[in-house]
Structures are given as C-alpha cells and as structure tokens.
Amino acid sequence: MKTPRMANSVGHIDDDLITAAAESKKKMKPNWMKLGSLAACFVVLVALVGIGVWQNGLFNTTQPPVANGDNSTLQGADKTNPTNSGNNVSAGIPDAPIIWGDANSEVQVAGFCTWDGKMITLSLHDVLTDEKNKNHLIAIGVSFELDNEFVYNGKTISEHEAEVDNAELFINRLGELLKIGDELKYGEALYKTGTPDGKKWAKQLYDETVERIGKDVLSTYIVDGEFLKDKLEADIAAYNAGTSSRNAWNEAIEAYYKFIANETAEKLNERNVNCEVRKGLIVYVTVDEFSALEIENAMFYSLALNEDEVGDLSKTQTEPL
Amino acid sequence: MKALLGLSREVDNIDDLRIIELYFERDEQAIKETDAKYGKLCRSIAYNILNNHEDAEECVNDTYVGVWNAIPPTRPNNLIAFVCKITRNLSLKRLEFVKRKKRSADVLLSLDELASVLPDGRYAPDVNDEDVGKLISKFLRTQKEEVRNVFIRKYYFFDSIGDIAERFGFTESKVKNMLFYTRKKLRDYLIKEGVEI
C-alpha cells in the first residue's frame, strides 16, 4: 500500500500549527460520581450563560452604575426611559431614572449567585445590595427555562433538535458518498476482486463504510452498478440551498422565548408590574419590588442593557459550518 | 490567562533547548528526556497509524534513533513538531508494509479521504509535497482555530473521530461535518492555487 502524496503533504504542515494542535487541551469529562453537585452546578451555569445570551443578549457583566447620592448622576439616567421600540406589551415604563447595565464595558462571562431565593447575575447582585440604589428602579432582564415541549410549526423543540441531528448525519453521509461513490458502485467486488483500475479495499473498511453511509442512501444513488453522481450533487446542493433544520430549530427556540416573554409580560401587567418585551422580558422594579416578584419559569435574572445602546447581537452569532 | 499560557510555552521551549543541547553533547539522557516529554504523544501517533502496540513501540524507538542521528547537525526550532514529524513519517512508511488485515480502518479511511482531496495522479508535475504542505498551512491559517486543529488532529495525528470529538467537546457528527467541509474547501483552494492538473 502506497501512502497517498496528500498524506505526505500534510506531513509538511508548518511546525507552529502542529504544535498548536498537539497542545490543544482535552476537555476532561468530569467524574460525575466524584464531583457530584460541583459538576452539576457547572453545567447549570453554562446553560444559564447560553440561555441568557440567547434570550436577551443583555445580561450585564460589567460594573454596575454608581449612584452618587443624586439621582441625576446615575449613569445613563437621562437616557433611560426607552422608546417603545420592539414588541412592547406594556407601555407602563415609569418616567424615572432607571439603573441599566453598562453596554460600553467589555462583555465577560457572568457569574451567578442566589439572592432572596432567585438566581441572579453578580452584577445585578452588586446593584441590589448597594444601599444607594434602594429606591431606584432597576432594569432587570428575565431569562426563562426552555420548554422543549413547546410546539412550533407542528413540532416540539425536542423534535426540531432531533431533526438537526439527523440532518447533519444525513448530509455527512451524502458528502462521504460523493467522494467514494465511484468506488462503492462496484459493491462487494471492491474488496473481493478490486476495481478495474486496480483499487481494492479491506472488507472491514468496506463493511464499515456501507454501514456508515447506509444502505438506504447507497440504493438511492447507486443503481444497477451505476453511481448517480449528478443526482447526488443536485440533492446536496438542494439541501444546502434550502432552509436547514438548524434554522428551524433556532426559530423554534426564538419563538418560544418570544412567546413566554409576551405571555409573562401580560400577566405582570395585570399585577401592575412595570415591564416591556424587547429582545427579552425586562421588568422595571425597585429592590423591594424585585424581592417580592415571582415569575413562573424564570431561570435567572440579570441587569438589562438599554437596547438603544446595544448593537445587534444577532450579528455576532457564529456562522454555521 | 494568555500571559500564563505564553509563559508556559516559554518554559517548554527552554526545556526543549536543554534537550537539544543534550543531543549536541551526545548525551544519551537526551533520549530519556525526549521520551519523558514526548513519548506519549509519539506512541499515540504511531499507534493511531499502525493499530498495533508492538509496531508502534518500534516506530517510537526508531524515532529516537532518527532524532539522535539528525541532531546534530540539525538544530530544530520546534522540537515537538520535529519529533512528531519523524514519528509520523516512520509510521506511515511502516504502514505500507503492514499486512492488510492489521491495518486500522480508521487510518485507511483517513488516507482515502486525503487522497480524494488531491489524488496522486492529479498533482501538477512541478509541485512537490513540501510545496503542497506550505499551501495547506496557508489554507489552514485562514480557517477558524478549532477547524484547523480538528483537521490536523485527524490528518496529521490520525486521531479517531471519537477522540477528536471528546478532545474538543463536539459531537462526532459535528467533527465529521467540519472535516468534510474543510476537505472540500481545501480541494477548492488547491485547485485555485493551480496544484491540481
């Protein structure tokens, strides 16, 4: 067996790239039995951060605004009352200075703690526990738990997620077949006698490849010993051009968060709680009001950023592969 | 944190310089130090390729002989890459003579995938493997760090999909997708660069 030249070429990759890949750290799987609650807490925190970004793009991780004993000196107080942009459910935004997060500071991963039975970000904790803020209104973003049973376009979020997994596996199988279909079309002859141009596979490799690509896919694109490459390429192109299942899943999650934010805002309105829905639900409450506030399905609370000061965070989302 | 990582790398380099000095002094401790520091990595590369501990161990030993013979006069700037390269080359050479049934399906598939990026017969006549290696490096530098590392882990170190997924915390499906698209983009890049005839 001769080593392909491409494999030798890869052997000439620059040293620094090899070093970086060699030293790329393994992500250790925690020993759940040993780590117990510590590991569980870590998972929860990671989930909280992700969901927070997803829902609001607005939890503040920066230093809270500082009140100097005079409301007029509150950071951002003169531009606090937001315009009624977005999906306002409530017009009841109080005409008073409001403490917001600082959008101009560097965004970092937030820490969390418990305050009065609620999970909150550390920056919100700083604001809530500062005596100077006792009588100020605070803009607090509410992040909700995701309900995987929420139905969007006839499917639950769990079902959308399963479709993403299946679609990724499927396109991967098609892609693999595109590369080796011209050999696989010979079927078992590939390991028994070899192809007319002298290629021969190990039986194990053949069996594993057939299993991985799937007999359903193979029978669709290899018919009577002929590899239907054009059809396969067209199908892959059509798949890539179409709306991906990942988009549908993302839309479903987004739809759920919009739904739960609007529904909760309506309930809060009935209880005369100042709130509005922007990218997510924001409540405007004092420290005492927040202490008494109970919101169903809320996962955690954060210091909200005034959206007028925030760029379109959706633009920062990672592009799919 | 970056500063700490930088410091750690610097310390590693100092260690490597010391090991290289030992080679120059023809001190056999050099081999022991190399084995202590990079033996595990070398064994992993060799085993990934050869799928057999005995063969892998022999390759690692041959690697040390190769390093011993190469230094001096060579003074590698990057000892880890230098050692890995020798292990990989020796292992691939040995793979050519290993009986078919002993070969790992994983590595055969990897080699096949690489060959499909640029088949041997499609190399432009004036292009050598080293030139293509430089182009691959150039291409990889345009990719995201994680994509780059996954590609190198797969096709340089011949890690399995499962190991790569575990290393980077991805699903196996994601790793396969990343590799698939990277191969595709690399192929397009090499065609654009005129490597393929």
Short mmCIF file of all heavy atoms in Angstrom, two decimals, chain A residues 171 174-175 177-179 182 220-221 227-241, chain B residues 180 184 187-188:
data_model
loop_
_atom_site.label_atom_id
_atom_site.label_comp_id
_atom_site.label_asym_id
_atom_site.label_seq_id
_atom_site.Cartn_x
_atom_site.Cartn_y
_atom_site.Cartn_z
N ILE A 171 -26.47 14.61 5.79
CA ILE A 171 -25.68 15.35 4.81
C ILE A 171 -24.23 14.87 4.85
O ILE A 171 -23.54 14.86 3.83
CB ILE A 171 -25.78 16.89 5.03
CG1 ILE A 171 -25.27 17.66 3.82
CG2 ILE A 171 -25.06 17.32 6.28
CD1 ILE A 171 -26.17 17.57 2.63
N LEU A 174 -24.15 11.79 2.74
CA LEU A 174 -24.18 12.13 1.32
C LEU A 174 -22.81 12.63 0.85
O LEU A 174 -22.33 12.28 -0.23
CB LEU A 174 -25.24 13.19 1.03
CG LEU A 174 -26.71 12.82 1.27
CD1 LEU A 174 -27.62 13.93 0.78
CD2 LEU A 174 -27.06 11.51 0.58
N GLY A 175 -22.22 13.47 1.68
CA GLY A 175 -20.92 14.05 1.33
C GLY A 175 -19.86 12.97 1.19
O GLY A 175 -19.01 13.01 0.30
N LEU A 177 -20.40 9.85 0.44
CA LEU A 177 -20.69 9.05 -0.76
C LEU A 177 -20.22 9.76 -2.02
O LEU A 177 -19.74 9.13 -2.97
CB LEU A 177 -22.20 8.76 -0.84
CG LEU A 177 -22.64 7.95 -2.07
CD1 LEU A 177 -21.94 6.59 -2.09
CD2 LEU A 177 -24.14 7.76 -2.08
N LEU A 178 -20.33 11.09 -2.01
CA LEU A 178 -19.91 11.86 -3.18
C LEU A 178 -18.44 11.59 -3.50
O LEU A 178 -18.02 11.55 -4.65
CB LEU A 178 -20.13 13.36 -2.91
CG LEU A 178 -19.91 14.31 -4.07
CD1 LEU A 178 -20.87 14.01 -5.21
CD2 LEU A 178 -20.09 15.77 -3.61
N LYS A 179 -17.66 11.42 -2.44
CA LYS A 179 -16.23 11.23 -2.66
C LYS A 179 -15.89 9.80 -3.09
O LYS A 179 -14.95 9.58 -3.84
CB LYS A 179 -15.47 11.54 -1.36
CG LYS A 179 -15.50 13.00 -1.01
CD LYS A 179 -14.25 13.39 -0.28
CE LYS A 179 -14.20 14.87 -0.05
NZ LYS A 179 -13.88 15.62 -1.23
N ASP A 182 -17.77 6.51 -6.73
CA ASP A 182 -17.22 5.88 -7.93
C ASP A 182 -16.53 4.56 -7.62
O ASP A 182 -16.31 3.75 -8.51
CB ASP A 182 -16.22 6.84 -8.61
CG ASP A 182 -16.96 7.86 -9.46
OD1 ASP A 182 -17.97 7.48 -10.08
OD2 ASP A 182 -16.53 9.03 -9.49
N THR A 220 -30.17 4.53 -3.22
CA THR A 220 -30.75 5.67 -3.93
C THR A 220 -29.80 6.19 -5.01
O THR A 220 -30.24 6.60 -6.09
CB THR A 220 -31.05 6.83 -2.94
OG1 THR A 220 -31.86 6.32 -1.89
CG2 THR A 220 -31.76 7.99 -3.62
N TYR A 221 -28.50 6.15 -4.69
CA TYR A 221 -27.55 6.80 -5.60
C TYR A 221 -26.66 5.81 -6.37
O TYR A 221 -25.90 6.22 -7.23
CB TYR A 221 -26.68 7.79 -4.82
CG TYR A 221 -27.50 8.90 -4.22
CD1 TYR A 221 -27.81 8.92 -2.87
CD2 TYR A 221 -28.01 9.93 -5.02
CE1 TYR A 221 -28.59 9.92 -2.31
CE2 TYR A 221 -28.79 10.93 -4.48
CZ TYR A 221 -29.08 10.92 -3.13
OH TYR A 221 -29.86 11.92 -2.59
N PHE A 227 -23.18 4.83 -10.46
CA PHE A 227 -23.20 5.87 -9.43
C PHE A 227 -23.86 7.14 -9.99
O PHE A 227 -23.34 7.75 -10.93
CB PHE A 227 -21.76 6.16 -8.98
CG PHE A 227 -21.65 7.30 -7.99
CD1 PHE A 227 -22.59 7.49 -6.98
CD2 PHE A 227 -20.58 8.19 -8.05
CE1 PHE A 227 -22.49 8.54 -6.07
CE2 PHE A 227 -20.46 9.24 -7.14
CZ PHE A 227 -21.42 9.40 -6.16
N LEU A 228 -24.99 7.51 -9.39
CA LEU A 228 -25.74 8.67 -9.89
C LEU A 228 -25.18 9.95 -9.24
O LEU A 228 -25.82 10.58 -8.40
CB LEU A 228 -27.23 8.51 -9.59
CG LEU A 228 -27.84 7.17 -10.04
CD1 LEU A 228 -29.32 7.10 -9.67
CD2 LEU A 228 -27.68 7.00 -11.55
N LYS A 229 -23.98 10.29 -9.66
CA LYS A 229 -23.27 11.40 -9.03
C LYS A 229 -24.00 12.73 -9.23
O LYS A 229 -24.08 13.56 -8.31
CB LYS A 229 -21.86 11.48 -9.62
CG LYS A 229 -20.93 12.39 -8.84
CD LYS A 229 -19.51 12.27 -9.34
CE LYS A 229 -18.58 13.12 -8.51
NZ LYS A 229 -17.21 13.04 -8.97
N ASP A 230 -24.52 12.94 -10.44
CA ASP A 230 -25.19 14.21 -10.71
C ASP A 230 -26.40 14.39 -9.80
O ASP A 230 -26.66 15.47 -9.28
CB ASP A 230 -25.63 14.28 -12.19
CG ASP A 230 -24.42 14.39 -13.11
OD1 ASP A 230 -23.34 14.72 -12.60
OD2 ASP A 230 -24.57 14.11 -14.32
N LYS A 231 -27.13 13.31 -9.66
CA LYS A 231 -28.31 13.38 -8.79
C LYS A 231 -27.90 13.67 -7.35
O LYS A 231 -28.51 14.50 -6.67
CB LYS A 231 -29.07 12.05 -8.86
CG LYS A 231 -30.26 11.95 -7.90
CD LYS A 231 -30.99 10.62 -8.10
CE LYS A 231 -31.91 10.28 -6.94
NZ LYS A 231 -32.89 11.29 -6.63
N LEU A 232 -26.82 13.02 -6.92
CA LEU A 232 -26.34 13.23 -5.55
C LEU A 232 -25.90 14.68 -5.36
O LEU A 232 -26.24 15.33 -4.37
CB LEU A 232 -25.19 12.27 -5.25
CG LEU A 232 -24.53 12.39 -3.87
CD1 LEU A 232 -25.55 12.20 -2.76
CD2 LEU A 232 -23.40 11.37 -3.71
N GLU A 233 -25.14 15.18 -6.32
CA GLU A 233 -24.67 16.58 -6.22
C GLU A 233 -25.86 17.53 -6.20
O GLU A 233 -25.88 18.51 -5.44
CB GLU A 233 -23.75 16.91 -7.40
CG GLU A 233 -22.35 16.37 -7.19
CD GLU A 233 -21.42 16.63 -8.38
OE1 GLU A 233 -21.94 16.78 -9.52
OE2 GLU A 233 -20.21 16.65 -8.18
N ALA A 234 -26.85 17.24 -7.03
CA ALA A 234 -28.03 18.10 -7.08
C ALA A 234 -28.77 18.07 -5.74
O ALA A 234 -29.22 19.10 -5.23
CB ALA A 234 -28.95 17.66 -8.21
N ASP A 235 -28.86 16.87 -5.16
CA ASP A 235 -29.57 16.75 -3.88
C ASP A 235 -28.82 17.46 -2.76
O ASP A 235 -29.43 18.09 -1.90
CB ASP A 235 -29.75 15.26 -3.53
CG ASP A 235 -30.82 14.61 -4.40
OD1 ASP A 235 -31.48 15.34 -5.16
OD2 ASP A 235 -30.99 13.38 -4.32
N ILE A 236 -27.49 17.35 -2.78
CA ILE A 236 -26.70 18.04 -1.75
C ILE A 236 -26.87 19.55 -1.91
O ILE A 236 -27.06 20.28 -0.93
CB ILE A 236 -25.21 17.64 -1.83
CG1 ILE A 236 -25.04 16.19 -1.41
CG2 ILE A 236 -24.35 18.54 -0.96
CD1 ILE A 236 -23.63 15.65 -1.57
N ALA A 237 -26.81 20.01 -3.16
CA ALA A 237 -26.97 21.45 -3.42
C ALA A 237 -28.34 21.91 -2.97
O ALA A 237 -28.49 22.98 -2.35
CB ALA A 237 -26.75 21.74 -4.90
N ALA A 238 -29.36 21.09 -3.27
CA ALA A 238 -30.72 21.47 -2.89
C ALA A 238 -30.84 21.53 -1.37
O ALA A 238 -31.47 22.43 -0.82
CB ALA A 238 -31.71 20.45 -3.45
N TYR A 239 -30.19 20.58 -0.72
CA TYR A 239 -30.26 20.57 0.74
C TYR A 239 -29.59 21.83 1.30
O TYR A 239 -30.12 22.50 2.17
CB TYR A 239 -29.56 19.33 1.30
CG TYR A 239 -29.52 19.35 2.80
CD1 TYR A 239 -30.58 18.87 3.56
CD2 TYR A 239 -28.43 19.90 3.47
CE1 TYR A 239 -30.56 18.94 4.93
CE2 TYR A 239 -28.40 19.97 4.85
CZ TYR A 239 -29.46 19.48 5.58
OH TYR A 239 -29.43 19.55 6.94
N ASN A 240 -28.40 22.13 0.76
CA ASN A 240 -27.67 23.29 1.27
C ASN A 240 -28.39 24.60 0.98
O ASN A 240 -28.28 25.56 1.73
CB ASN A 240 -26.26 23.32 0.68
CG ASN A 240 -25.37 22.27 1.31
OD1 ASN A 240 -25.58 21.89 2.45
ND2 ASN A 240 -24.41 21.76 0.55
N ALA A 241 -29.11 24.63 -0.15
CA ALA A 241 -29.81 25.86 -0.52
C ALA A 241 -31.10 26.04 0.28
O ALA A 241 -31.58 27.15 0.47
CB ALA A 241 -30.13 25.84 -2.01
N PHE B 180 -15.46 17.26 6.65
CA PHE B 180 -15.99 17.19 5.29
C PHE B 180 -15.87 18.55 4.58
O PHE B 180 -15.36 18.66 3.47
CB PHE B 180 -17.45 16.73 5.32
CG PHE B 180 -18.14 16.83 3.99
CD1 PHE B 180 -17.80 15.98 2.96
CD2 PHE B 180 -19.10 17.80 3.77
CE1 PHE B 180 -18.42 16.08 1.72
CE2 PHE B 180 -19.72 17.92 2.54
CZ PHE B 180 -19.38 17.05 1.51
N LYS B 184 -13.37 19.82 1.51
CA LYS B 184 -13.98 20.39 0.29
C LYS B 184 -13.34 21.77 -0.01
O LYS B 184 -12.95 22.05 -1.14
CB LYS B 184 -15.48 20.54 0.52
CG LYS B 184 -16.27 20.95 -0.69
CD LYS B 184 -17.76 20.84 -0.37
CE LYS B 184 -18.62 21.21 -1.56
NZ LYS B 184 -18.46 22.59 -1.99
N ARG B 187 -9.77 21.39 -1.11
CA ARG B 187 -9.68 20.94 -2.51
C ARG B 187 -9.87 22.14 -3.45
O ARG B 187 -9.10 22.35 -4.39
CB ARG B 187 -10.75 19.88 -2.77
CG ARG B 187 -10.75 19.38 -4.19
CD ARG B 187 -11.83 18.30 -4.39
NE ARG B 187 -11.99 18.03 -5.81
CZ ARG B 187 -11.16 17.27 -6.52
NH1 ARG B 187 -10.14 16.71 -5.93
NH2 ARG B 187 -11.37 17.07 -7.80
N ASP B 188 -10.90 22.94 -3.16
CA ASP B 188 -11.14 24.14 -3.99
C ASP B 188 -9.93 25.07 -3.98
O ASP B 188 -9.55 25.65 -4.99
CB ASP B 188 -12.38 24.89 -3.48
CG ASP B 188 -13.65 24.08 -3.69
OD1 ASP B 188 -13.60 23.12 -4.48
OD2 ASP B 188 -14.67 24.39 -3.05
#
